[in-house]
Amino acid sequence: MRAIFFNGDLQYTTDYPDPVRQPGEALIRPHLVGICNTDLEITRGYMNFHGVLGHEFVGTVVASADPSWQGKRVVGEINAACRRCSTCLRGDVSHCPQRTTLGIYRRDGAMADLFTLPESCLHEVPASVSDEAAVFTEPLAAALEIVEQSHIRPTERVAIVGDGKLGAMIVQVLRLTGCDLTLIGRHPERWDVYRQQGITCVRSTDLPGTLFDVVVDCTGNPSGLNIARQIIRPRGRLILKSTFAAATQLNLSMVVVDEIQLTGSRCGPFAPALRLLERGLIATTPLIGARYPLAEGLQAFAAAPGQLKVLLSV
């Protein structure tokens, strides 16, 4: 089958082995797959992953152990857990020590004609949600994990550092809390949609003089973390969403002195993400910068760093 895979180099092939569906898994034919910053970081060595890339998808189930899934349009949580260990039984399935992660860790991803995922990871897409919106479910769920983990008060000053792929979701989610929200980034050409939503946008070279109660770093690079640390108030909360291959330096002594609360934040809840899309509360169409067929996947990856979201049509 056709696939985009990484094996030390990013490659496109037409003869990648077909996936083998294991018990409890569904075989899925993707319609659209998004290129995320994590995909780009994998090509730079992140997680040392070799295999088919892609974890943001919307597709159709073509075979499954449970026949009720067949033919349904779905999105899917990316962590395939054992569901039996003590970690899973306490509810932390995304941290299962035996897990595989779609297109990131020990499981081939969605940038192919077919891929597999446990049925327990699947969510049916509401009929009113288009493929072009549904493909944003996974990063939108990751944005929702912030409010799942930490109470964002409407009286708080909140800054999001990074106006890229994930920042586009986070800023739209956190605006719904009513907080005093500022987006800090390097791409003013992307800001019209956020300003129309009442969000303050400033350049990373023109940082505001006041400090923030909550700062979210989603830049995907060490310099963004440094900016986030500069603008957090003592006893503030610093939420880390970035995953990247490069090393970073954070003065932990000053984190202690200023009593900063550090929170790592990763995957999030899919059901509320789909509800937000169904209710039209998240703008997705303005975020799509380009769309390529799977056969032009290498060109799509080359274009992705300069775009908010590049989609692959399978």
Side-chain angles (χ1 to χ4, degrees):
M1 66 175 182
R2 300 177 303 158
I4 301 291
F5 71 100
F6 183 72
N7 190 22
D9 294 304
L10 190 65
Q11 300 179 49
Y12 168 75
T13 184
T14 59
D15 61 356
Y16 198 84
D18 288 348
V20 177
R21 183 169 63 87
Q22 301 298 320
E25 292 188 341
L27 184 66
I28 302 164
R29 185 179 303 281
H31 307 160
L32 292 175
V33 184
I35 298 178
C36 147
N37 193 64
T38 300
D39 298 313
L40 300 177
E41 288 297 319
I42 285 172
T43 66
R44 299 170 186 141
Y46 177 66
M47 294 297 290
N48 195 32
F49 176 74
H50 287 192
V52 178
L53 295 174
H55 57 276
E56 301 177 1
F57 76 90
V58 56
T60 296
V61 175
V62 297
S64 61
D66 179 354
S68 67
W69 278 111
Q70 289 187 216
K72 287 188 174 178
R73 192 167 59 115
V74 297
V75 292
E77 299 179 35
I78 67 175
N79 294 294
C82 74
R83 309 257 170 183
R84 297 184 302 273
C85 69
S86 60
T87 302
C88 289
L89 293 177
R90 70 170 182 253
D92 290 336
V93 293
S94 65
H95 293 279
C96 171
Q98 283 82 46
R99 73 184 182 276
T100 60
T101 305
L102 185 69
I104 297 173
Y105 181 63
R106 297 194 299 129
R107 176 177 286 269
D108 277 342
M111 292 181 186
D113 286 320
L114 295 166
F115 68 97
T116 62
L117 199 60
E119 293 167 5
S120 58
C121 293
L122 301 182
H123 295 261
E124 186 174 6
V125 178
S128 62
V129 178
S130 68
D131 281 353
E132 289 76 10
V135 75
F136 285 88
T137 304
E138 194 277 335
L140 180 54
L144 282 165
E145 182 68 1
I146 293 172
V147 291
E148 182 81 357
Q149 294 173 307
S150 182
H151 180 202
I152 305 295
R153 298 172 179 85
T155 54
E156 289 183 310
R157 287 175 49 80
V158 179
I160 297 165
V161 184
D163 56 358
K165 299 168 178 59
L166 185 53
M169 295 288 98
I170 294 172
V171 71
Q172 295 193 68
V173 165
L174 295 194
R175 91 184 198 279
L176 300 176
T177 68
C179 67
D180 182 356
L181 186 61
T182 298
L183 176 64
I184 297 171
R186 300 182 299 175
H187 302 281
E189 70 277 6
R190 301 174 178 175
W191 295 348
D192 283 350
V193 63
Y194 312 130
R195 284 174 167 157
Q196 290 168 15
Q197 295 171 339
I199 297 162
T200 301
C201 302
V202 300
R203 293 177 182 268
S204 57
T205 54
D206 188 22
L207 296 178
T210 54
L211 300 178
F212 293 85
D213 303 299
V214 181
V215 179
V216 182
D217 169 41
C218 55
T219 57
N221 63 70
S223 64
L225 178 57
N226 291 334
I227 291 173
R229 179 62 189 92
Q230 290 175 38
I231 61 175
I232 189 77
R233 68 164 174 83
R235 291 188 171 175
R237 288 173 285 159
L238 179 53
I239 299 170
L240 308 181
K241 294 295 293 188
S242 289
T243 54
F244 46 79
T248 185
Q249 292 184 347
L250 181 64
N251 188 332
L252 295 179
S253 293
M254 291 311 299
V255 170
V256 174
V257 170
D258 287 345
E259 297 183 312
I260 303 299
Q261 296 181 42
L262 284 177
T263 301
S265 184
R266 190 166 52 100
C267 302
F270 269 54
L274 286 167
R275 285 196 295 271
L276 289 179
L277 293 171
E278 188 175 22
R279 295 169 186 172
L281 293 172
I282 304 296
T284 56
T285 300
L287 309 181
I288 300 172
R291 183 167 170 167
Y292 291 79
L294 184 67
E296 296 178 11
L298 301 188
Q299 296 95 307
F301 266 80
Q307 303 282 350
L308 266 179
K309 182 61 65 177
V310 172
L311 301 179
L312 291 174
S313 300
V314 182

